[in-house]
Amino acid sequence: MTIKLPPSIQAYFDADNARSPDAVAAAFTDDAVVRDAGEIRAGRESIRRWKVETDQKYSYTLTEPFLIATENGKTLVTGHVSGDFPGSPVDLRYFFVLKGDKIAGLEITV
């Protein structure tokens, strides 16, 4: 089943799958915050560096997201991720906060 994602979230996943840190960062607002693996990254440049570091450390693939919901004002997207990271494969939950046509916040959890 294919789900329809908001354009900014689709842009994030497309850029992540293409391994393009610049395009990932462009999906976010200037002051966006990302929480992932116990770290907090604030601002586009910090988010870009996070993607560079993650891509250098791990090889992974996100298959088609299979769930979208709204929870506490956030857009929750769940997708199956596999790769060479601890615990692979896993279904990750992506909690997006959207602001206009950009992502203002993202938290990634198991």
Side-chain angles (χ1 to χ4, degrees), residues 41-108:
R41 303 295 181 113
R44 267 197 192 141
E45 180 54 29
S46 182
I47 292 167
R48 190 192 70 74
R49 284 192 313 269
W50 160 68
K51 288 311 305 170
V52 168
E53 293 164 8
T54 300
D55 290 350
Q56 288 173 346
K57 193 172 183 180
Y58 303 115
S59 176
Y60 60 91
T61 302
L62 169 69
T63 60
E64 188 82 16
F66 61 85
L67 174 72
I68 186 170
T70 302
E71 187 174 302
N72 298 324
K74 298 177 181 178
T75 302
L76 165 62
V77 177
T78 305
H80 191 72
V81 181
S82 61
D84 61 0
F85 57 89
S88 176
V90 65
D91 289 339
L92 291 181
R93 296 165 35 113
Y94 298 80
F95 292 89
F96 291 93
V97 176
L98 304 179
K99 184 176 182 183
D101 64 348
K102 298 287 183 182
I103 301 165
L106 169 60
E107 182 173 2
I108 303 171

Side-chain angles (χ1 to χ4, degrees), residues 9-57:
I9 294 175
Q10 186 66 57
Y12 167 81
F13 285 123
D14 290 346
D16 191 34
N17 283 333
R19 300 296 182 264
S20 175
D22 291 332
V24 166
F28 288 85
T29 62
D30 290 337
D31 59 350
V33 175
V34 171
R35 291 174 172 81
D36 179 40
E39 294 185 24
I40 298 174
R41 303 295 181 113
R44 267 197 192 141
E45 180 54 29
S46 182
I47 292 167
R48 190 192 70 74
R49 284 192 313 269
W50 160 68
K51 288 311 305 170
V52 168
E53 293 164 8
T54 300
D55 290 350
Q56 288 173 346
K57 193 172 183 180

